[in-house]
Amino acid sequence: MNMTVLDARQQIVADRVLDEEERQRAHLVVSLSGAHAYGFPSPDSDLDLKSIHIEPTRRLLGLMRSAASPSRLEIIDGVEVDYSSNEIHPVLLGVLQGNGNYIERILGPFPLRTAPELDALKPLCLGALSRRVFRHYLGFATSQRHAWEASERASVKKLLYVLRTALTGAHALTTGTVVTDVTLLLDQYGFSSAHELIDIKRSGERSELPENVRDRWAGEIGRAFTTLTEAHERSPLPEEPPNADALDEWLLTLRRARF
């Protein structure tokens, strides 16, 4: 990971939280998500830690099973931490269904913790990309758009979440690769003017848009959905993931090794 993404205090807090959580479960990967991964962190952005963990096989087969999706949300030394984790089995089913949330955890650019088995999983995850991802990115972008339009505050963060989700989805459908940092996609997909939004957001997590900027983007944001839809229509990706058997074999190998 590029350690400059987090400042020293944030890194200390992240390490503290993950050390505590790893006493309770074995992580396959912990990815830094949210504004840090999307290219527009501000000094007060929270640490959004999205994890995948591996339950010991004996625990899956036995009577006493731990919680499937642990989470915690708290402020530590002035840093807000949002940690959540999902077990590898539902994650892989989500990958096959086109769940971008899980795909980004595996392929994300900022892993804070990784297990050796992740190296073999990443190319399988890329190979499982299909046109199914369209439904996930369209649904999430739509919900974020509704939240932005319904908000009394002209939140630049919510607007950027719409753009980030739509363009990440369009890029995945077009190229078969996953790029979460929207700043790397804006120019390529005709949204160069959105760099002004990035500058505003980086000044603070709760930054609001000037009224004239909000009005302009209210008429412009629909173009992001057009970009996503057109990418789906011309996508070279298969309709369904072609390598479910390979993912199944990877999981069986993992279960045998982690009994």
Side-chain angles (χ1 to χ4, degrees):
M1 173 190 169
N2 178 3
M3 302 303 288
T4 61
V5 172
L6 300 182
D7 63 29
R9 182 178 60 160
Q10 291 170 328
Q11 188 65 53
I12 290 171
V13 170
D15 286 339
R16 171 181 164 183
V17 168
L18 295 181
D19 287 346
E20 291 172 358
E21 295 300 325
E22 286 185 341
R23 297 190 192 106
Q24 304 178 60
R25 68 194 61 87
H27 291 124
L28 174 69
V29 62
V30 181
S31 285
L32 185 62
S33 186
H36 289 93
Y38 303 160
F40 44 81
S42 52
D44 56 345
S45 289
D46 68 346
L47 296 184
D48 194 357
L49 308 177
K50 298 295 186 184
S51 309
I52 301 170
H53 65 272
I54 306 164
E55 285 291 328
T57 305
R58 68 174 66 89
R59 188 176 298 172
L60 294 174
L61 298 174
L63 178 62
M64 305 304 292
R65 300 184 180 185
S66 61
S69 303
S71 63
R72 62 191 282 187
L73 177 63
E74 59 185 293
I75 297 176
I76 301 174
D77 294 338
V79 177
E80 184 174 357
V81 179
D82 187 352
Y83 165 93
S84 62
S85 189
N86 295 88
E87 213 278 325
I88 184 61
H89 176 255
V91 167
L92 292 184
L93 290 178
V95 168
L96 292 174
Q97 294 162 1
N99 187 314
N101 182 11
Y102 292 150
I103 292 169
E104 290 176 13
R105 292 189 199 192
I106 295 169
L107 301 176
F110 301 122
L112 294 172
R113 302 281 173 96
T114 62
E117 294 92 340
L118 183 67
D119 290 340
L121 178 58
K122 292 174 79 171
L124 294 176
C125 183
L126 271 177
L129 289 181
S130 71
R131 291 161 67 93
R132 288 181 177 181
V133 298
F134 171 69
R135 181 173 57 186
H136 168 88
Y137 285 107
L138 177 64
F140 189 57
T142 299
S143 67
Q144 292 296 313
R145 181 180 185 176
H146 290 163
W148 179 64
E149 292 174 341
S151 175
E152 294 182 1
R153 295 174 52 249
S155 169
V156 67
K157 178 179 177 178
K158 286 186 172 66
L159 178 58
L160 281 171
Y161 267 58
V162 178
L163 276 175
R164 196 296 295 189
T165 305
L167 295 187
T168 294
H171 192 72
L173 287 161
T174 301
T175 68
T177 60
V178 177
V179 176
T180 61
D181 186 341
V182 72
T183 66
L184 303 178
L185 302 174
L186 294 177
D187 296 342
Q188 182 175 348
Y189 290 94
F191 287 88
S192 298
S193 61
H195 287 289
E196 67 174 337
L197 304 179
I198 303 292
D199 292 340
I200 295 172
K201 169 60 179 64
R202 285 175 175 168
S203 69
E205 188 72 5
R206 295 172 177 78
S207 299
E208 298 183 19
L209 294 171
E211 185 174 352
N212 65 317
V213 176
R214 173 171 180 147
D215 290 345
R216 172 156 46 85
W217 277 98
E220 183 77 2
I221 196 61
R223 195 161 55 85
F225 290 86
T226 301
T227 300
L228 178 58
T229 300
E230 290 178 348
H232 177 240
E233 292 171 350
R234 63 174 183 267
S235 175
L237 295 181
E239 290 290 340
E240 298 182 357
N243 64 342
D245 289 346
L247 282 169
D248 185 47
E249 186 60 35
W250 179 90
L251 181 59
L252 289 172
T253 300
L254 178 74
R255 295 300 194 207
R256 295 185 188 106
R258 296 288 188 117
F259 191 81

